[in-house]
Amino acid sequence: MGNGREAGWWPGRMVLGMVLGALVLMVGGIVCAQQAQQTPEYALREIAHALESRDAEALDRYVAEDVLLTSSYDEGTALLARDVEKLATLYPDDWFFRHDTEFMTSYLRGRRVDDLALLSRVVSFYMHPEATPVSRADGQAHWLATECETFLAHYTAHVDAIEQRQGEAIAQVTVTGDESDYGRLVPQLTLRLLLRQEGDGHYELTRVENAEEIFYPVVKGVEDYWTLQGWQ
């Protein structure tokens, strides 16, 4: 598929880290007791099971995929544009950060539709690994989905607490890497996941609440991943 500079494009990998950090990494060992169906605990358990068994129908029921992808992309790229000059100082060898906020805002706005479509395809290829990529964009999405599988072997996740409010809940999930090269990319990350209760009582995952908090650890993980792959 070519090297990472050509095929991975930094914004997609950054957002992939945020979105699939909330979704795919939970398969690695999320712990929830047996619960009644109309609880956030039950929804989290069903998400983990859906991802593990590649059950697209169950995933559609318990994850508002379009809402989650869009909110994660918009929040992540807004942080990227806002802090691009700081990122350039932290990572002077990464050409992608050698721009100002005005340029990055315009650039990311221009590719938003295509980026979101690609992220949706990543989830699709993860859920349907037998599917054959037929375009360059499909090839990118297929490769990213395959990398998600690699990460699965090196991370576990645990639900620390769930705070319920009227019609919604916030789940705090700690993701921990092992001692492998992949596991050390993001040794530990705490996610705050928003689940909303639907009309029939079941909960759907809709948003990563602490995007700003996890932004810099994810950026570092992406930069270290870049080095791990030997991309210059």
Side-chain angles (χ1 to χ4, degrees):
M1 203 182 108
N3 67 32
R5 294 285 181 180
E6 295 172 349
W9 52 268
W10 201 91
R13 290 203 308 278
M14 178 271 293
V15 177
L16 185 69
M18 296 178 69
V19 176
L20 295 185
L23 293 177
V24 178
L25 293 181
M26 285 198 287
V27 183
I30 194 167
V31 177
C32 278
Q34 184 74 23
Q35 296 288 335
Q37 292 188 20
Q38 295 183 355
T39 63
E41 291 89 347
Y42 183 88
L44 289 170
R45 189 167 59 82
E46 288 300 294
I47 292 167
H49 178 71
L51 288 163
E52 189 172 23
S53 63
R54 318 280 179 143
D55 186 340
E57 184 176 346
L59 192 69
D60 286 343
R61 175 168 174 77
Y62 291 100
V63 178
E65 181 183 316
D66 289 344
V67 176
L68 180 62
L69 288 175
T70 300
S71 65
S72 297
Y73 183 89
D74 288 345
E75 291 180 50
T77 53
L79 290 167
L80 172 59
R82 185 195 73 184
D83 288 3
V84 66
E85 294 178 32
K86 179 178 178 180
L87 292 166
T89 300
L90 289 171
Y91 305 103
D93 294 331
D94 193 330
W95 63 268
F96 188 74
F97 298 135
R98 296 175 188 173
H99 302 95
D100 59 21
T101 294
E102 183 179 1
F103 173 87
M104 289 304 301
T105 300
S106 175
Y107 171 75
L108 293 166
R109 184 187 301 120
R111 64 177 303 139
R112 178 177 182 273
V113 172
D114 288 342
D115 286 354
L116 286 171
L118 180 57
L119 291 172
S120 182
R121 291 294 286 157
V122 171
V123 177
S124 179
F125 275 115
Y126 176 81
M127 297 303 291
H128 304 283
E130 75 286 354
T132 301
V134 296
S135 66
R136 177 179 172 81
D138 278 356
Q140 293 175 344
H142 185 269
W143 174 76
L144 287 165
T146 301
E147 280 298 279
C148 289
E149 294 186 62
T150 303
F151 273 93
L152 282 179
H154 301 291
Y155 286 84
T156 57
H158 185 272
V159 178
D160 302 318
I162 294 181
E163 172 190 345
Q164 288 195 251
R165 308 190 291 230
Q166 183 64 37
E168 62 184 29
I170 299 290
Q172 180 169 302
V173 178
T174 297
V175 179
T176 305
D178 62 19
E179 291 303 311
S180 68
D181 288 341
Y182 271 76
R184 286 192 292 266
L185 292 173
V186 185
Q188 190 171 85
L189 198 68
T190 298
L191 304 164
R192 289 179 58 81
L193 309 178
L194 175 65
L195 298 99
R196 296 192 187 280
Q197 193 168 28
E198 299 301 299
D200 65 355
H202 85 279
Y203 281 80
E204 272 191 324
L205 176 59
T206 62
R207 185 168 179 261
V208 180
E209 285 279 278
N210 59 330
E212 184 154 8
E213 178 184 331
I214 68 175
F215 179 75
Y216 278 94
V218 169
V219 170
K220 184 180 186 303
V222 170
E223 293 296 316
D224 291 345
Y225 173 83
W226 203 290
T227 302
L228 178 64
Q229 299 301 321
W231 295 333
Q232 301 300 319

